[in-house]
């Protein structure tokens, strides 16, 4: 407070003052987060770059193929800048990355890495998002049902079911899904991908089975986590209070219990989303999908280190940014978080 | 339903005099890992409209469970068995479907909870706590509900309601939060308010304000009140009648004055002695009741208070005393204290 003495206590309400202080705090919190985020991204990008040094391939060799001449070898290394110190190469690469240039693939047909990523990323993002959406759609009601009847027959059944799904490896789940929905029922196609640009309906039709495969495992995990948190929340006094003022079961579950119970779920979702975008390799392979997983595996197999670097970087950035957003969402989930640290 | 009401209470007066609440031989058994726990074990009560009843007892005496059983509301959907009868304004609560119960809750009967820190949803604004219940029960639209919420905040004495309505519970003090909890329970002007330890979690200075508020609102709205507390001092002067509970049973019930001046059950006497008195010299040890309440999954035979009772004799352990007494002052004791004020046949000691 300033020391100036005001002659008359102006009827300035304390309200705007309070508000402003809080917004300032929140803004500072977000700025702090951003700085943190940049630092993390720098570390991640350096790690990604350094990864290639750990790869047991000489890029020049993979470009030239076997039986190269010594002078060609030196020339290629010079061209690629491989003879510069690593730190110099890192900043060259980072500078390129920041301007949207991740270099060119070192194996034929020498595509721009950015173009390849732009082709593969939508597939992976769509799969991850669809899988996640389906998982939430299944798991939230399932977890509520289970938690509401905790210890009952339904709960035990759901527990056993989710446990069974979790213990199945994803390729097996994928095969089962294909067997049931594609081979036996013939409802959905297998091993075809239709781009979004070819129409939403067709795209969803083709994306359904892979998304379902992803969703099953996630559903099992989400259901278990959310159920446990819900059981805790349902013991809270405010749940009893909500019932006591006549709110129906559905209202109590969705409006009162869900949000306070979703911290673990949201955290898990962040981790899952990042993971799904980069590592749905098995699902992509099963359904022959041109996603990020396929891209990075193919590049690694051919020693295409530039593509590997670029792809891993993009996945890492998505992962970090997603989780930063998740952190911010805690403030929405619990207003008490807004005022404290953030 | 009305027919069965008449059977249980043949002497029932015309509708105008219909009691707000009739509890008849109510038993609540909770299945626990250690076996069935008789939390409420044969309680009967009658509450007239607009009357204030205090229910007093130690922690674990079953008073809170009784309060909830009256509403038909339980913390878990778990294995709870209720027998006996609860007639809320003539409505048999046990016979209602869940959906009908929710219609009753918050409109005919409201509940105030012990801890205002936990009774409000941390992620909901103060206003939402109030608007959702009036929208449900009164079918108000958003704007009307908000008006009603402001009205309620004013009613329970929350200053600056227009600002408070958009705040979150954690931005309010404990006393303010308890006012919100009360406003929530009163939102639809229930005919019966059950206040379960409404001041236990509050500062002493705030306790008084909240109790005075409840008292005032009861008079203004003409509702019946059940005030549950472990503290006889809280109930004193604010209730018409008091029921003392011990180990799931009512051991003594009377109009407030006669219970406070002439308690007959040794437990009631001991509770009264446990109220600190400012007139006594400082640093005096507070009177306490030795021992602890019985394990309700295996209560002692006979009088349940006997193991802790200074007046206990052989028959106390053998035969459970019946709740009985002259002129509405009922007690369950073979050897009552203050026996001088009693008619002869039970005044032996």
């Amino acid at each position: 407070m300033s020391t100036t003495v005001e002659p008359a206590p102006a009827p300035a309400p304390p309200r705007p003052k309070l508000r402003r202080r809080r917004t300032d705090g929140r803004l500072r919190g977000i700025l702090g987060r951003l700085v943190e985020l940049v630092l993390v991204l720098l570390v991640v990008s350096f790690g990604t770059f350094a990864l290639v040094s750990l790869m047991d391939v000489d890029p020049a060799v993979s470009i030239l193929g076997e039986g190269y001449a010594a002078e060609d070898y030196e020339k290629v290394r010079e061209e690629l800048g491989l003879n510069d110190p690593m730190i110099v190469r890192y900043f060259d690469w980072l500078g390129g990355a920041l301007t949207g240039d991740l270099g060119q693939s070192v194996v034929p047909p020498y595509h721009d890495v950015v173009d390849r990523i732009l082709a593969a990323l939508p597939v992976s993002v769509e799969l991850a998002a669809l899988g996640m959406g389906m998982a939430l759609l299944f798991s939230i009601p399932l977890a509520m049902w289970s938690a509401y009847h905790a210890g009952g027959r339904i709960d035990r059944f759901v527990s056993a079911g989710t446990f069974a799904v979790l213990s199945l490896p994803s390729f097996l789940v994928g095969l089962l899904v294909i067997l049931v929905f594609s081979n036996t029922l013939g409802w959905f196609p297998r091993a075809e991908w239709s781009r979004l640009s070819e129409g939403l309906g067709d795209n969803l039709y083709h994306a359904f089975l892979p998304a379902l495969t992803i969703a099953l495992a996630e559903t099992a995990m989400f259901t278990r986590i959310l159920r446990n948190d819900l059981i805790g929340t349902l013991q809270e006094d405010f749940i009893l209070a909500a019932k006591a003022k006549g709110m129906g079961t559905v209202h109590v579950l969705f409006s009162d219990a869900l949000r306070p119970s979703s911290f673990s779920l949201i955290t898990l979702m962040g981790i899952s989303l990042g993971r799904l975008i980069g590592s749905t390799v098995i699902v992509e392979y099963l359904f022959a999908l041109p996603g990020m997983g396929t891209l990075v595996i193919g590049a690694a197999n051919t020693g295409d280190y530039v593509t590997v670097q670029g792809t891993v970087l993009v996945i890492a950035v998505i992962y970090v940014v997603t989780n930063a957003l998740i952190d911010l969402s805690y403030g929405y989930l619990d207003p008490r978080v807004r005022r404290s640290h953030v | 339903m009305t027919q069965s009401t008449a059977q249980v209470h043949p002497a029932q007066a015309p509708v105008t005099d219909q009691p707000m609440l009739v509890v008849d031989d109510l038993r609540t058994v909770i299945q626990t890992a250690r076996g069935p726990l008789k939390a409420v074990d044969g309680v009967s009560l009658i509450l007239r409209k607009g009357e204030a009843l205090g229910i007093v007892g130690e922690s674990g005496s079953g008073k809170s469970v009784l309060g909830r059983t009256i509403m038909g509301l339980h913390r878990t959907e778990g294995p709870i068995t209720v027998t006996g009868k609860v007639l809320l304004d003539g409505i048999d609560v046990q016979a209602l479907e869940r959906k009908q119960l929710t219609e009753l809750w918050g409109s005919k009967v409201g509940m105030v909870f012990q801890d205002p820190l936990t009774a409000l949803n941390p992620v909901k604004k103060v206003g939402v706590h109030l608007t959702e219940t009036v929208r449900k029960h009164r079918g108000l639209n958003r704007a009307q509900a908000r008006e009603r919420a402001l009205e309620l905040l004013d009613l329970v004495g929350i200053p600056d309601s227009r600002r408070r309505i958009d705040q979150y519970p954690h931005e309010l003090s404990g006393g303010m939060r308890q006012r919100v909890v009360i406003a929530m329970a009163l939102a639809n002007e229930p005919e019966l308010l059950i206040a379960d330890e409404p001041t236990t979690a509050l500062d002493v200075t705030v306790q008084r304000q909240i109790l005075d508020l409840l008292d005032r609102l009861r008079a203004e709205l003409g509702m019946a009140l059940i005030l549950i507390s472990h503290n006889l001092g809280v109930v004193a002067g604010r209730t018409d009648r008091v029921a003392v509970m011990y180990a799931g049973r009512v051991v003594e019930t009377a109009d407030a004055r006669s219970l406070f001046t002439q308690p007959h059950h040794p437990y009631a006497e001991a509770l009264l002695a446990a109220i600190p008195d400012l007139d006594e010299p400082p640093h005096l040890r507070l009177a306490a009741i030795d021992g602890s309440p019985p394990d309700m999954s295996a209560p002692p035979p006979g009088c349940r208070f006997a193991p802790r009772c200074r007046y206990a004799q052989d028959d106390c352990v053998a035969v459970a005393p019946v709740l009985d007494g002259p002129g509405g002052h009922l007690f369950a004791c073979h050897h009552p204290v203050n026996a001088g004020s009693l008619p002869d046949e039970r005044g032996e000691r």
Side-chain angles (χ1 to χ4, degrees):
Chain A
M1 277 306 256
S2 67
T3 48
T4 44
V5 181
E6 282 179 48
R15 178 181 174 188
K17 212 182 279 174
L18 250 172
R19 274 257 168 95
R20 196 183 320 139
R21 198 187 307 148
R22 200 189 312 151
T23 337
D24 278 0
R26 209 184 298 178
L27 206 66
R28 204 176 314 128
I30 291 176
L31 280 177
R33 267 287 145 80
L34 277 177
V35 172
E36 229 175 88
L37 197 65
V38 169
L39 286 177
V40 170
L41 287 176
L42 274 177
V43 172
V44 165
S45 65
F46 185 76
T48 309
F49 186 82
L51 191 79
V52 174
S53 319
L54 299 173
M55 274 169 73
D56 192 25
V57 274
D58 189 332
V61 175
S62 39
I63 290 173
L64 293 167
E66 296 299 325
Y68 48 84
E71 63 264 33
D72 283 347
Y73 177 74
E74 271 312 310
K75 208 175 121 208
V76 169
R77 281 193 72 89
E78 198 60 45
E79 252 172 41
L80 293 173
L82 286 174
N83 292 332
D84 293 336
M86 185 167 157
I87 197 78
V88 174
R89 284 187 282 138
Y90 168 63
F91 279 109
D92 277 352
W93 177 71
L94 187 64
L98 286 177
T99 53
D101 175 16
L102 287 169
Q104 268 186 345
S105 170
V106 293
V107 294
Y110 310 111
H111 279 307
D112 248 14
V113 172
V114 171
D115 289 342
R116 296 187 69 183
I117 291 175
L118 284 181
L121 191 61
V123 178
S124 291
V125 169
E126 188 189 341
L127 270 189
L130 271 181
M132 197 73 96
M134 280 163 87
L136 285 179
L137 212 63
F138 299 150
S139 62
I140 290 177
L142 213 55
M144 283 180 168
W145 200 19
S146 201
Y148 195 70
H149 301 280
R153 204 174 303 161
I154 295 161
D155 184 34
R156 287 197 303 259
F157 179 76
V158 169
S159 268
T162 52
F163 197 72
V165 172
L166 274 182
S167 55
L168 290 177
S170 65
F171 74 86
L172 196 58
V173 174
L175 285 177
L176 286 173
V177 163
I178 290 171
L179 196 70
V180 173
F181 289 96
S182 193
N183 292 9
T184 310
L185 295 173
W187 290 352
F188 293 97
R190 166 193 182 184
E192 272 169 75
W193 182 255
S194 163
R195 297 213 164 260
L196 203 52
S197 51
E198 290 163 40
L200 181 67
D202 208 37
N203 167 266
L204 288 180
Y205 179 59
H206 286 90
F208 183 80
L209 283 193
L212 182 67
T213 307
I214 291 171
L216 282 178
E218 303 298 318
T219 300
M221 209 144 54
F222 290 178
T223 305
R224 291 180 82 84
I225 293 279
L226 184 60
R227 169 198 171 267
N228 287 353
D229 286 1
L230 269 172
I231 286 176
T233 306
L234 287 175
Q235 292 297 317
E236 296 276 355
D237 281 351
F238 63 79
I239 296 295
L240 201 63
K243 286 186 196 165
K245 66 182 179 186
M247 310 321 292
T249 306
V250 173
H251 179 100
V252 168
L253 282 173
F254 279 93
S255 168
D256 287 290
L258 183 58
R259 230 166 92 186
S261 310
S262 51
F263 281 83
S264 311
L265 179 69
I266 296 281
T267 308
L268 188 67
M269 272 171 61
I271 297 169
S272 284
L273 199 63
R275 185 168 48 76
L276 288 180
I277 286 172
S279 62
T280 52
V281 186
I282 292 166
V283 175
E284 286 180 20
Y285 179 78
L286 266 180
F287 293 91
L289 304 177
M292 294 291 271
T294 310
L295 179 62
V296 78
I297 294 289
N301 282 340
T302 54
D304 185 359
Y305 76 102
V306 182
T307 304
V308 174
Q309 276 176 342
T311 316
V312 172
L313 180 72
V314 168
I315 292 171
V317 168
I318 289 175
Y319 194 83
V320 171
V321 170
T322 311
N323 280 286
L325 287 177
I326 297 279
D327 275 0
L328 285 177
S329 78
Y330 293 145
Y332 162 75
L333 285 177
D334 189 344
R336 286 170 299 185
V337 178
R338 278 174 224 168
R339 219 166 40 164
S340 52
H341 59 97
V342 179
Chain B
M1 193 166 59
T2 37
Q3 202 171 2
S4 65
T5 310
Q7 279 166 3
V8 176
H9 300 281
Q12 200 177 47
V15 190
T16 45
D17 249 10
Q18 186 177 34
M20 184 64 237
L21 176 73
V22 177
V23 175
D24 189 51
D25 196 29
L26 193 66
R27 289 165 202 271
T28 309
V29 181
I30 304 170
Q31 296 296 337
T32 67
R34 297 174 53 220
L37 189 148
K38 295 175 183 169
V40 176
D41 195 15
V43 169
S44 301
L45 293 169
I46 292 185
L47 187 66
R48 289 190 301 275
K49 290 195 168 161
E51 193 181 26
L53 169 72
I55 297 181
V56 183
E58 277 170 291
S59 316
S61 59
K63 54 196 192 307
S64 289
V65 178
L66 173 63
R68 291 197 201 125
T69 308
I70 288 172
M71 281 184 85
L73 171 68
H74 294 284
R75 192 175 280 280
T76 52
E77 304 297 311
I80 293 175
T81 340
V82 177
T83 53
K85 209 159 205 105
V86 175
L87 297 175
L88 196 66
D89 201 16
I91 303 167
D92 185 348
V93 171
Q94 247 80 259
L96 293 185
E97 300 279 318
R98 176 61 190 247
K99 195 160 165 48
Q100 296 168 305
L101 271 175
T102 52
E103 295 295 325
L104 214 64
W105 296 340
S107 61
K108 201 166 204 56
V109 54
M111 193 164 209
V112 174
F113 292 84
Q114 172 171 349
D115 189 350
L117 304 186
T118 56
L120 296 174
N121 191 332
V123 306
K124 281 186 174 177
K125 289 179 180 173
V126 166
V128 177
H129 284 93
L130 302 171
T131 51
E132 55 186 14
T133 177
V134 295
R135 292 188 72 173
K136 151 132 197 192
H137 289 296
R138 301 186 159 192
L140 300 184
N141 66 28
R142 194 178 285 267
Q144 291 166 326
R146 193 178 162 86
E147 273 314 302
R148 173 67 182 152
L150 286 168
E151 209 177 286
L152 283 164
L153 291 179
D154 291 337
L155 179 73
V156 296
I158 292 184
D160 204 3
S161 54
R162 294 203 168 267
R163 179 164 70 94
R164 295 297 187 187
I165 193 172
D166 288 320
Q167 288 189 322
Y168 286 97
H170 72 271
E171 297 175 272
L172 272 58
S173 68
M176 285 295 155
R177 281 189 236 186
Q178 192 61 313
R179 285 171 194 266
V180 174
V181 173
I182 292 172
M184 217 159 86
L186 295 181
N188 301 300
E189 300 187 354
E191 292 166 67
L192 170 65
L193 184 70
I194 301 176
D196 186 1
E197 303 259 11
T199 58
T200 306
L202 301 174
D203 284 346
V204 180
T205 46
V206 183
Q207 285 189 6
R208 200 198 166 85
Q209 296 168 10
I210 294 293
L211 289 170
D212 290 346
L213 173 72
L214 279 175
D215 223 20
R216 194 194 88 213
L217 292 172
R218 183 174 74 84
E220 276 177 25
L221 304 175
M223 60 185 177
L225 173 72
I226 294 181
L227 184 58
I228 299 173
S229 179
H230 64 277
N231 186 349
L232 266 177
V234 163
V235 167
R238 293 192 173 83
T239 49
D240 305 311
R241 279 192 311 122
V242 178
V244 178
M245 276 188 80
Y246 186 79
R249 288 178 178 166
V250 172
V251 293
E252 181 162 3
T253 174
D255 65 279
R257 172 176 297 273
S258 99
L259 189 113
F260 280 98
T261 53
Q262 299 274 311
H264 289 313
H265 198 285
Y267 179 63
E269 183 197 43
L271 277 182
L272 275 170
I275 301 176
D277 189 346
L278 275 182
D279 295 336
E280 283 172 14
H283 307 299
L284 202 69
R285 216 171 156 235
L286 283 175
I289 307 172
D290 290 332
S292 49
D295 175 2
M296 289 308 289
S297 48
C303 173
R304 290 176 178 177
F305 187 60
R308 301 168 75 187
C309 182
R310 337 186 240 157
Y311 311 113
Q313 295 176 24
D314 291 348
D315 55 343
C316 294
V317 189
V319 185
V322 192
L323 187 69
D324 196 9
H329 189 144
L330 314 181
F331 53 93
C333 183
H334 295 308
H335 310 285
V337 292
N338 293 315
S341 64
L342 289 171
D344 285 345
E345 73 271 25
R346 286 194 67 165
E348 100 286 353
R349 174 181 1 251

